[in-house]
Amino acid sequence: MQSFRTELENPIVERDIIELEQKIRLFREGKIPDEKFRSLRLARGVYGQRQPGVQMVRIKLPYGKMTLAQWKRISDISDEFSTGNLHLTTRQDIQVHFVSLDRTPELWSQLEQDDITIREACGNTVRNITASDAAGIDPDEPFDVTPYADAAFRYFLRNPICQDMGRKFKMSFSSSDKDTAFAYMHDVGVIPKIQLIDGKEVRGFKVMIAGGLGAQPQLAKVAFEFLPADQLIPYIESVLRVFDRHGERSSRHKARMKFLVQKIGMEAFEELVKEEFTAVKNKVVPIDADAWIATEPSETPGALPAYTIENPQQFEQWKKTNVFEQKQAGFFGAYVRVLLGNISSDISRLLIEKLQPVIADDVRVTVNQGLLLKFIRGEHLAYVYSQLEAVGLAAPGFNSVADITACPGTDTCNLGISSSTGIAVALEQVIQEEYPGLIYNTDIKIKISGCMNSCGQHGMANIGFHGSSMKSKGKVLPALQVLLGGGTMGNGAGRVADKVLKVPSKRGPDVLRSVLNDYATNLQEGELFNDYYDRRGERYFYDLLKPLADLTTLQDEDFIDWGQANDFATAIGVGECAGVVIDLIATLLYEAEEKLLLATESITAGAYADAIYHAYSCFVQSAKALLLDDGVSCNTQISIINDFEKHFEETRRFPVSNFKDMVLEINKQEPSAAFAEQYFQQAKEFYKASQQYRANKTAQTVNA
């Protein structure tokens, strides 16, 4: 592996990239264990694929925004390092696949030339912060949430409190009470509100916490009906500190924040959050939204090139379903349906070239894997449509029944059980050919995941599917779990879909036909789908679909998954949605030493809150190393602190006193220079004593 040189203006970013290159080299040389290296690369957006020897790189686009230059940069990157495909995700990221691990630092370096990062796009970190794609132009919004989402992204990127948590952490900013960013399914989800306080309009947010999908969905709880905007980031910081200290770390299936709140209760959780407030870096974080450089409308272009519209009827449908008038008079937003979220680099560059004169320099990736083009003048809509039509991206029905969301599933993901992309294409074909009028129906959402983990968000769909398997006559066949009745209700309320039954995957189109036909035949006037589902009940739909689950009538094709030629076989690998537990003693002590170095740098830079948290991490990592070396399992940071006191301090096996009180001073002191220096010195002494204890124990073992 050859090293490379970067020429970036940001020394922090440059250091990150050089560090990744160095760690890859050490990993190749066998000097970093696989578990540790996996955790490190995930936090830098590098994710293992189903196919051995190649990586998926996740590009982090806060609130889904990319300039045209960034879109072109990503397209060029995909050509050079990947396959020429850009995959748009439900978290408004872009993923490129089949990347060589050794080339990821160079890829990252090229992205950063247009201020694009992959840092903390994966792993046990704060993932990409999503937001309503129409934020800033939404006619229903009380104010633009974009500056607040951007501030949160920048505040928590590389923040010591959220670099190696027990599990990933997801946030969203909705633009209005319609909750189009799904506050109810996030660790922290917010909805903008304005309150009249002392005769003045004050901006703030309704705050939801501890939601999540996955195999065990849980709706978020209301933390605040109204929290002033300048208090939002300090509150989130306190929440993250509690999650980092008290969250599960042994069992990844119980490590999301929703399980912590479920375990200790909302009241106890809120008390812990309040206890952390003393130690947060800033008590208020005001956002000067008026100074925010908002998206500018496109300049009035000169004469546009000649163009033609091949399908005028579809153009009219497209205007009705994909176009909306912005809150800025005279301008329109236009949505682009992207099948399976996959758009090629060639088409991307062509659209950038053709559309640049008539759209804003601000394209948003949407949460249903499409694109939003902004600030289009009414007289330019036909031209925009013609360019989309020329590249096959002018399908009407954005965000309708016909616009199906699906994760990559078994195409590239280790956790995929059965194909999600193949069934998504088949279902879209059914709607296009048999139910063309449903392009106008935006009430029903169809979402598909390749497994139960809900990357395709099937758990919140009106009609959802996730990949599974079934057995018949000693053979395994691909299957779909059918879910019904989920969805967004608005203002932070949502519904989790019910699991109805499991069917062979090839019968998925018949499931859709049965449900849609039954709804069309029996609905009452004006009845929305979920109201109809509630009136009929889960058992009714189980009985309706039960014949499709009959395994006595299987055909040979039922044993072959969508898009495959051979019989189905489950091939689930090791999931990488988060880091794994590191249980190597030397590695833990090495990490503790790294935290001390970071603390030293932070003190020198005057970043006292960061220094304190690095020192805290040194305490925890050192104590965890000695506990694990003693055979004591460690599942939360607070249990590490308690167990160390019990096993080492109370038994007088280790030269320390009042260990717990000393460590937990972190949430009792303001982050001052004096406390930072004191706490750092205590952590340094504890680390040295831990190293000596470990060395003595090893020597005794060798001499025994």
Side-chain angles (χ1 to χ4, degrees):
M1 177 179 175
Q2 296 183 343
S3 60
F4 71 99
R5 299 182 65 182
T6 66
E7 296 182 358
L8 299 174
E9 294 181 2
N10 188 330
I12 297 174
V13 173
E14 185 171 36
R15 173 177 165 173
D16 258 356
I17 296 171
I18 292 172
E19 180 189 31
L20 176 60
E21 189 267 347
Q22 292 171 341
K23 299 289 186 180
I24 291 172
R25 187 184 302 116
L26 290 172
F27 171 69
R28 294 294 194 202
E29 295 171 358
K31 296 177 181 177
I32 297 181
D34 183 67
E35 294 87 350
K36 172 59 184 171
F37 180 69
R38 182 183 302 146
S39 177
L40 183 141
R41 66 172 166 77
L42 283 169
R44 284 142 184 86
V46 182
Y47 190 103
Q49 277 189 209
R50 193 179 190 92
Q51 297 79 8
V54 290
Q55 315 294 315
M56 175 269 281
V57 174
R58 182 175 291 150
I59 298 166
K60 195 171 187 177
L61 300 176
Y63 43 93
K65 178 185 176 180
M66 56 182 173
T67 64
L68 297 176
Q70 289 173 329
W71 190 4
K72 184 178 184 302
R73 172 72 65 177
I74 294 168
S75 300
D76 294 344
I77 287 290
S78 184
D79 281 346
E80 181 175 353
F81 297 91
S82 179
T83 62
N85 181 63
L86 281 59
H87 177 69
L88 316 177
T89 80
T90 56
R91 293 211 62 74
Q92 298 174 290
D93 299 298
I94 289 180
Q95 294 175 175
V96 295
H97 294 83
F98 300 95
V99 178
S100 164
L101 174 64
D102 294 337
R103 299 197 70 193
T104 53
E106 184 183 359
L107 180 155
W108 188 0
S109 178
Q110 290 194 26
L111 284 174
E112 287 284 358
Q113 292 176 33
D114 276 300
D115 196 26
I116 309 167
T117 192
I118 61 176
R119 174 81 192 219
E120 295 156 52
C122 307
N124 296 332
T125 61
V126 171
R127 297 293 185 85
N128 196 31
I129 295 178
T130 61
S132 298
D133 48 61
I137 64 173
D138 185 352
D140 297 317
E141 67 185 20
F143 57 86
D144 183 6
V145 300
T146 309
Y148 304 91
D150 187 78
F153 155 69
R154 297 183 188 282
Y155 193 91
F156 294 111
L157 188 71
R158 297 183 178 86
N159 194 311
I161 66 171
C162 50
Q163 293 306 296
D164 189 22
M165 298 180 291
R167 202 71 161 79
K168 57 191 174 184
F169 193 96
K170 297 181 178 181
M171 287 192 256
S172 75
F173 285 70
S174 283
S175 61
S176 74
D177 283 0
K178 289 183 179 178
D179 197 12
T180 53
F182 317 136
Y184 61 91
M185 53 159 272
H186 281 81
D187 295 289
V188 173
V190 302
I191 300 168
K193 303 285 182 180
I194 292 179
Q195 273 196 7
L196 200 63
I197 300 177
D198 296 330
K200 295 177 64 176
E201 288 190 346
V202 176
R203 291 182 175 186
F205 295 93
K206 181 175 184 177
V207 182
M208 313 291 297
I209 67 166
L213 293 178
Q216 299 180 58
Q218 182 170 298
L219 297 174
K221 303 177 186 300
V222 178
F224 295 94
E225 288 290 347
F226 182 84
L227 181 68
D230 61 1
Q231 297 177 31
L232 178 63
I233 285 177
Y235 172 73
I236 296 172
E237 180 178 350
S238 297
V239 168
L240 283 164
R241 291 166 70 99
V242 170
F243 178 51
D244 191 36
R245 186 167 301 120
H246 295 269
E248 172 68 35
R249 289 174 179 266
S250 294
S251 171
R252 68 181 299 275
H253 297 292
K254 292 289 185 181
R256 291 295 298 275
M257 195 174 79
K258 62 185 179 183
F259 295 113
L260 173 60
V261 173
Q262 188 181 73
K263 178 181 177 181
I264 67 174
M266 187 67 175
E267 186 177 345
F269 182 83
E270 289 178 322
E271 283 300 314
L272 290 172
V273 170
K274 290 175 183 176
E275 289 175 8
E276 293 294 331
F277 187 71
T278 300
V280 298
K281 189 182 301 186
N282 300 286
K283 302 301 183 283
V284 293
V285 179
I287 311 300
D288 188 356
D290 293 333
W292 173 255
I293 302 174
T295 301
E296 297 291 334
S298 56
E299 296 181 4
T300 304
L304 293 172
Y307 64 90
T308 58
I309 291 177
E310 299 295 333
N311 190 335
Q313 180 183 2
Q314 184 171 286
F315 174 50
E316 295 303 318
Q317 293 175 325
W318 179 82
K319 284 194 293 183
K320 291 180 181 177
T321 62
N322 293 40
V323 176
F324 68 96
E325 189 169 2
Q326 298 181 185
K327 71 178 185 181
Q328 294 85 1
F331 292 97
F332 295 84
Y335 285 110
V336 182
R337 276 181 63 186
V338 180
L339 180 63
L340 303 176
N342 293 323
I343 183 171
S344 75
S345 55
D346 289 339
I347 287 177
S348 295
R349 279 188 292 266
L350 185 62
L351 289 177
I352 293 166
E353 176 190 352
K354 298 293 186 182
L355 297 180
Q356 184 274 332
V358 295
I359 65 173
D361 190 22
D362 179 351
V363 176
R364 301 288 172 103
V365 177
T366 69
V367 293
N368 64 339
Q369 303 174 292
L371 296 169
L372 172 61
L373 313 176
K374 304 165 67 175
F375 283 98
I376 304 168
R377 290 173 168 82
E379 62 267 27
H380 296 151
L381 286 170
Y383 173 77
V384 170
Y385 175 83
S386 72
Q387 301 309 308
L388 294 172
E389 184 182 50
V391 296
L393 287 174
F398 182 86
N399 205 32
S400 71
V401 186
D403 192 5
I404 296 174
T405 300
C407 72
T410 53
D411 291 357
T412 55
C413 179
N414 278 319
L415 292 177
I417 300 174
S418 63
S419 174
S420 50
T421 57
I423 182 62
V425 171
L427 295 184
E428 286 207 6
Q429 185 176 356
V430 166
I431 294 167
Q432 178 181 337
E433 295 178 357
E434 302 175 32
Y435 306 90
L438 289 182
I439 62 168
Y440 300 105
N441 183 311
T442 57
D443 169 49
I444 301 174
K445 304 293 187 293
I446 301 174
K447 299 177 182 289
I448 307 170
S449 304
C451 70
M452 71 289 296
N453 286 309
S454 212
C455 292
Q457 300 177 340
H458 65 265
M460 50 165 282
N462 305 95
I463 302 174
F465 302 90
H466 79 66
S468 189
S469 62
M470 304 174 81
K471 287 185 179 181
S472 177
K473 301 177 181 178
K475 295 178 66 177
V476 181
L477 65 151
L480 294 170
Q481 174 68 54
V482 181
L483 302 96
L484 298 172
T488 304
M489 299 168 66
N491 198 27
R495 294 169 52 123
V496 173
D498 293 328
K499 292 184 177 180
V500 178
L501 85 172
K502 192 187 295 186
V503 301
S505 193
K506 286 295 179 69
R507 296 178 185 175
D510 287 331
V511 168
L512 183 61
R513 292 184 183 100
S514 297
V515 172
L516 292 178
N517 290 342
D518 187 80
Y519 174 51
T521 301
N522 299 306
L523 85 164
Q524 297 175 354
E525 184 175 355
E527 190 172 36
L528 298 178
F529 179 82
N530 278 353
D531 294 330
Y532 179 67
Y533 174 76
D534 291 342
R535 178 165 64 85
R536 288 293 193 179
E538 180 184 344
R539 181 69 197 192
Y540 172 85
F541 286 92
Y542 174 84
D543 292 335
L544 175 71
L545 300 175
K546 189 175 180 180
L548 296 175
D550 183 3
L551 300 185
T552 65
T553 57
L554 291 173
Q555 305 296 315
D556 289 345
E557 66 172 20
D558 290 318
F559 291 90
I560 302 173
D561 207 356
W562 294 98
Q564 302 299 313
N566 300 318
D567 281 359
F568 173 78
T570 53
I572 304 171
V574 176
E576 295 201 332
C577 290
V580 296
V581 177
I582 311 299
D583 61 359
L584 300 173
I585 312 308
T587 301
L588 285 167
L589 290 172
Y590 172 69
E591 287 178 349
E593 185 179 20
E594 284 187 327
K595 298 299 182 184
L596 283 178
L597 292 173
L598 291 170
T600 302
E601 293 174 2
S602 296
I603 288 175
T604 302
Y608 301 121
D610 290 355
I612 292 164
Y613 212 87
H614 286 311
Y616 164 77
S617 297
C618 174
F619 274 124
V620 172
Q621 296 293 73
S622 300
K624 181 178 179 180
L626 299 191
L627 284 166
L628 288 176
D629 196 31
D630 234 29
V632 180
S633 62
C634 305
N635 65 328
T636 67
Q637 288 184 349
I638 195 66
S639 70
I640 290 169
I641 295 167
N642 289 330
D643 285 344
F644 191 86
E645 185 177 52
K646 175 182 176 182
H647 289 273
F648 285 89
E649 183 180 346
E650 292 179 4
T651 58
R652 300 185 179 180
R653 297 167 55 202
F654 191 89
V656 67
S657 60
N658 301 316
F659 175 73
K660 182 177 179 179
D661 291 341
M662 177 173 63
V663 176
L664 292 183
E665 280 292 301
I666 187 173
N667 62 4
K668 296 178 176 60
Q669 299 285 342
E670 295 280 347
S672 64
F675 178 65
E677 182 62 40
Q678 170 200 318
Y679 198 68
F680 166 73
Q681 291 298 334
Q682 290 171 323
K684 184 177 180 180
E685 291 169 9
F686 182 78
Y687 165 73
K688 287 182 177 179
S690 300
Q691 281 276 46
Q692 188 61 52
Y693 182 92
R694 168 69 173 161
N696 292 342
K697 184 175 180 181
T698 302
Q700 290 172 5
T701 302
V702 171
N703 295 328

